[in-house]
Amino acid sequence: MAPACNGSNGSRAHVNLPEIKFTKLFINGEFVDAVSGKTFETIDPRNGEVIARVAEGDKADVDLAVKAAREAFDHGKWPRMSGYERGRIMSNFADLIDQHSEELAAIDSLDAGKLFSLGKVVDIPSAARMLRYYAGAADKIHGSTLKMSRPFQAYTLREPIGVVGHIIPWNYPTTMFFMKVSPALAAGCAMVVKPAEQTPLSALYYAHLAKLAGVPDGVLNVVPGFGPTAGAAISSHMDIDQVSFTGSTEVGRLVMQAAAASNLKPVALELGGKSPLIIFDDADLDVAVDLARFAIFTNKGEICVAGSRVYVQEGIYDEFVKKSAEKAKGWVVGDPFDPFVQQGPQVSKAQFERVLTYIEQGKKEGACLLTGGKSLGDKGYYIEPTIFTDVKEDMVIGSEEIFGPVMSLMKFKTIDEAIQKANSTRYGLAAGIVTKDINVANKVSRSIRAGSIWINCYFAFDNDSPFGGYKMSGFGRDNGLAALEKYLQTKSVVVPLVDTPWL
């Protein structure tokens, strides 16, 4: 196992750490202190040191942000602009992201422990592409003409839903920000965004760029803070028309309850997962091993769709176990600014300790620790890529979302058994299938209850491909034109035909 780099010195990293320019709340086009004057620390997971102190928003600040968004929506120009003009401003926003891509990637690496090498070529450019995708959709939102059964002329209008609250997670600070913000902007909504308290820095930078791009004041407000205060205030606010939340199933319940208890606002939830990766006997073994490793260890396992349950057909199981152990030992863990590193630190001390607790629980329950299982280094939140065998579905590590680099390997005999095991979870976010048999792929993909099925690939996201869950993984879709539906209302307009009695 390659050792973690020693904290923030990055022995092979040659990246200038970014200057942290924006640490205040962004409300009505201005950076402002929290009403309370409180701040909180955001921590570098490479070494546990403080990066910056960020203004801590709570209910009073959410009230101000919602007031600004309400004014911008009810009386401002954004929802009244042509779709073309909104799209043009969104394209400007995307251009600014491209111009600052290296700095933005460095901020997410510093704040979240994400690999800088991937951030600058994947996460940040993908955010700009997502903005452009929805910019292209902004002038194509339209209703339809209705053929009435009575003497009326009728048509529908598609109108922005209003003021939206976005509550985003810490594992992909940039990607999740734009999965929420981009379609809402295209629809003509105003919004209040609460980034995760672990990773608030890039969201504040994007607020700055949005203003430079020409997004009117009040349309995009960013209020860092904590879930029980700022998040709860957004979920329960009477002047917010819709909430979109990505995070844990437990917190998703609270968001729904708060929304229902206030103004019965609609809620879109993208929640937890315990995704299966099913590998059949006919798979190319080396390809399957690499795909399984990629599916769970990417982004240190901090991915809602991580392939944490790996089911391998009995004919290749033993060889798969052997090769997986060998490959895991070559997985390089260390400073995310090092271009040779494949896995950075967990995002926070709390998440680091949570993952280690799950690993200990797996040992106590009788799962066999094949490789890994320990922390690395004397600084920061690094954990070895970990593989368990002999895992059962009713074990804690086999049923609960760990959100860390922990793979559970299990054996199956038949296709029907694989389907039954894959569906034996309260979650339904994603699944992977590895086989050369198209009939097997078709049967299994149609039988698994999950929102995304990847055949002979994994993490195959695209702007045009809707993403969301079944069961307790939530409802509503991000990505694709389907995401626009969350931020639009349908209005029917009916007029009697001229000189035709209608009573």
Side-chain angles (χ1 to χ4, degrees), residues 223-410:
V223 182
F226 294 88
T229 50
I234 289 172
S235 302
S236 62
H237 206 289
M238 292 295 292
D239 283 334
I240 287 181
D241 300 302
Q242 195 252 22
V243 173
S244 180
F245 169 80
T246 296
S248 70
T249 298
E250 293 72 24
V251 177
R253 289 181 186 273
L254 299 177
V255 171
M256 280 194 74
Q257 291 167 2
S262 56
N263 59 349
L264 210 62
K265 64 176 70 66
V267 175
L269 302 176
E270 193 266 281
L271 306 175
K274 193 70 178 175
S275 300
L277 175 62
I278 306 170
I279 300 169
F280 289 89
D281 281 346
D282 66 340
D284 182 302
L285 188 60
D286 290 321
V287 170
V289 168
D290 285 339
L291 193 61
R293 181 177 64 163
F294 173 70
I296 183 60
F297 298 144
T298 295
N299 202 51
K300 349 102 179 203
E302 294 175 348
I303 306 180
C304 54
V305 293
S308 53
R309 294 186 295 145
V310 180
Y311 293 100
V312 183
Q313 202 162 15
E314 58 183 0
I316 60 170
Y317 180 82
D318 291 341
E319 188 66 20
F320 186 95
V321 168
K322 178 182 176 182
K323 289 199 171 190
S324 292
E326 293 170 355
K327 289 289 184 75
K329 291 173 183 176
W331 191 253
V332 183
V333 182
D335 190 318
F337 287 102
D338 188 327
F340 297 98
V341 160
Q342 296 167 294
Q343 178 184 314
Q346 308 307 129
V347 72
S348 65
K349 183 178 181 182
Q351 185 62 20
F352 169 77
E353 292 175 344
R354 170 186 166 90
V355 175
L356 291 176
T357 298
Y358 271 111
I359 291 171
E360 291 306 309
Q361 181 70 25
K363 296 176 185 176
K364 290 177 183 176
E365 288 184 309
C368 177
L369 181 63
L370 180 67
T371 188
K374 300 188 295 297
S375 63
L376 278 169
D378 56 1
K379 285 185 180 181
Y381 311 133
Y382 300 92
I383 294 177
E384 292 178 332
T386 299
I387 301 175
F388 281 99
T389 60
D390 300 327
V391 180
K392 308 299 181 185
E393 281 78 13
D394 59 354
M395 291 180 177
V396 170
I397 64 168
S399 60
E400 294 186 11
E401 184 176 41
I402 297 173
F403 229 60
V406 181
M407 178 193 296
S408 293
L409 270 176
M410 292 169 271

Side-chain angles (χ1 to χ4, degrees), residues 86-97:
R86 284 201 302 273
R88 187 186 64 80
I89 292 172
M90 291 172 67
S91 294
N92 291 343
F93 192 178
D95 291 343
L96 288 169
I97 291 171

Side-chain angles (χ1 to χ4, degrees), residues 17 37 59 73 102 269 305 314 333 415 427 482:
L17 296 185
K59 183 180 184 302
F73 183 78
E102 188 151 322
L269 302 176
V305 293
E314 58 183 0
V333 182
I415 295 175
Y427 298 114

